């Protein structure tokens, strides 16, 4: 199993550009999440999904869109990139339930100029 | 509001010394507590979860509901323990939603 995969690993955007961060998992997990990691702030939840067709907002959803058409994929779309979105983005998946382990992807380092 | 606080940004100890990484939380219900670790150039991974009450790599953590704490402890630190440690909380049956603390960087010197 590849686990949780993310593409690209690195990306540089100009302000106003849009892009999609890809996330896929091959463990048949129902729950998937997107976090951003910023120095001194830990990881903050952007959006999450409890199954195909079901998504909800996390702590910092503004400027991001998600959709979940399949169990495997959970892309994160930046609609109009801003310098404040410069961050490291992590995708994670878990079978479900509060006590289950979350499995993280390797991360995407995004810089917005 | 739910919150996780890790008061130390950086903790530096010598090899063989005891280590305690502090974690305090605020949550009105019954939380699920975790410690995640990120070694250099590796992805974030689970170290401990309170429901398992296990010891991993010599680390233990006890949930103290009275003090709302979940401190991570190890009696003798090793150089390979150097990493970023995050305490995290989720609501019961909301596994997709973790609330993380700010993280503590542990540096173990030889």
């Amino acid at each position: 199993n590849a686990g949780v995969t993310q593409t690209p690993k690195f990306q540089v955007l100009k302000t106003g550009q849009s892009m999609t961060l890809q996330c896929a998992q091959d463990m048949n997990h129902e729950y998937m999440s997107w976090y951003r990691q910023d120095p001194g702030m830990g990881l903050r939840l952007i959006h999450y999904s409890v199954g195909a067709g079901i998504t909800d907002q996390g702590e910092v959803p503004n400027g991001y869109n998600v959709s979940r058409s399949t169990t495997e994929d959970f892309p994160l779309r930046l609609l109009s990139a801003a310098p404040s979105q410069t961050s490291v983005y992590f995708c994670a998946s878990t079978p479900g339930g509060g006590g289950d382990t979350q499995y993280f992807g390797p991360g995407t380092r995004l810089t917005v100029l | 509001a739910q919150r996780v606080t890790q008061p130390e940004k950086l903790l530096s100890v010598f090899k063989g010394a005891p280590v305690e990484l502090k974690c305090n939380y605020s949550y009105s219900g019954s939380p699920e507590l975790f410690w995640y670790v990120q070694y250099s150039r590796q992805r974030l991974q689970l170290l401990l979860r309170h429901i398992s009450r296990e010891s991993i790599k010599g680390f233990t953590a006890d949930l103290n509901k009275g003090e709302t704490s979940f401190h991570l402890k190890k009696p003798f630190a090793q150089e390979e323990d150097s990493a970023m440690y995050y305490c995290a909380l989720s609501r019961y049956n909301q596994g997709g939603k973790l609330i993380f603390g700010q993280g503590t960087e542990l540096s173990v010197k030889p």
Side-chain angles (χ1 to χ4, degrees):
Chain A
N1 287 351
V4 180
T5 58
Q6 291 183 238
T7 56
K9 289 187 177 180
F10 302 94
Q11 184 70 48
V12 179
L13 293 177
K14 295 181 179 178
T15 296
Q17 288 184 315
S18 62
M19 80 159 295
T20 299
L21 307 186
Q22 300 293 344
C23 174
Q25 53 94 7
D26 60 2
M27 297 174 283
N28 202 33
H29 287 169
E30 288 297 319
Y31 290 70
M32 296 187 74
S33 310
W34 276 102
Y35 297 87
R36 58 178 290 173
Q37 182 185 43
D38 300 294
M41 304 190 75
L43 282 80
R44 291 179 293 169
L45 182 65
I46 304 171
H47 285 286
Y48 70 100
S49 170
V50 300
I54 307 170
T55 64
D56 205 348
Q57 296 181 350
E59 181 184 356
V60 287
N62 292 342
Y64 307 95
N65 270 358
V66 292
S67 60
R68 183 106 177 263
S69 56
T70 67
T71 299
E72 294 78 19
D73 301 299
F74 191 42
L76 178 72
R77 281 181 286 276
L78 279 72
L79 309 173
S80 178
S84 60
Q85 294 179 304
T86 294
S87 187
V88 181
Y89 291 85
F90 289 99
C91 180
S93 74
T94 182
D100 282 346
T101 301
Q102 283 213 15
Y103 296 86
F104 284 83
T108 294
R109 185 173 295 274
L110 176 68
T111 301
V112 183
L113 303 176
Chain B
Q2 302 162 73
R3 181 180 295 175
V4 177
T5 302
Q6 294 178 249
E8 304 130 333
K9 289 181 67 174
L10 173 64
L11 188 61
S12 184
V13 301
F14 287 102
K15 177 183 173 181
V19 170
E20 183 179 47
L21 287 78
K22 291 184 167 46
C23 172
N24 290 92
Y25 67 91
S26 62
Y27 179 60
S28 57
S30 295
E32 306 280 355
L33 273 297
F34 307 83
W35 277 98
Y36 280 83
V37 61
Q38 188 175 29
Y39 300 103
S40 179
R41 299 188 185 88
Q42 294 187 27
R43 62 183 70 190
L44 206 64
Q45 59 186 285
L46 179 71
L47 180 64
L48 284 176
R49 47 185 173 170
H50 90 272
I51 60 172
S52 300
R53 303 183 69 82
E54 58 200 344
S55 173
I56 304 293
K57 298 184 179 182
F59 284 97
T60 59
D62 290 319
L63 178 62
N64 185 324
K65 291 188 177 181
E67 296 183 357
T68 59
S69 68
F70 189 57
H71 303 327
L72 184 68
K73 300 177 183 179
K74 184 170 184 176
F76 308 103
Q78 303 298 316
E79 290 179 68
E80 55 265 30
D81 296 328
S82 295
M84 195 74 178
Y85 291 80
Y86 291 98
C87 183
L89 172 155
S90 76
R91 294 179 181 174
Y92 178 73
N93 271 343
Q94 290 195 1
K97 299 174 67 174
L98 282 177
I99 298 168
F100 284 87
Q102 303 91 325
T104 297
E105 182 181 354
L106 175 63
S107 174
V108 182
K109 300 180 178 179

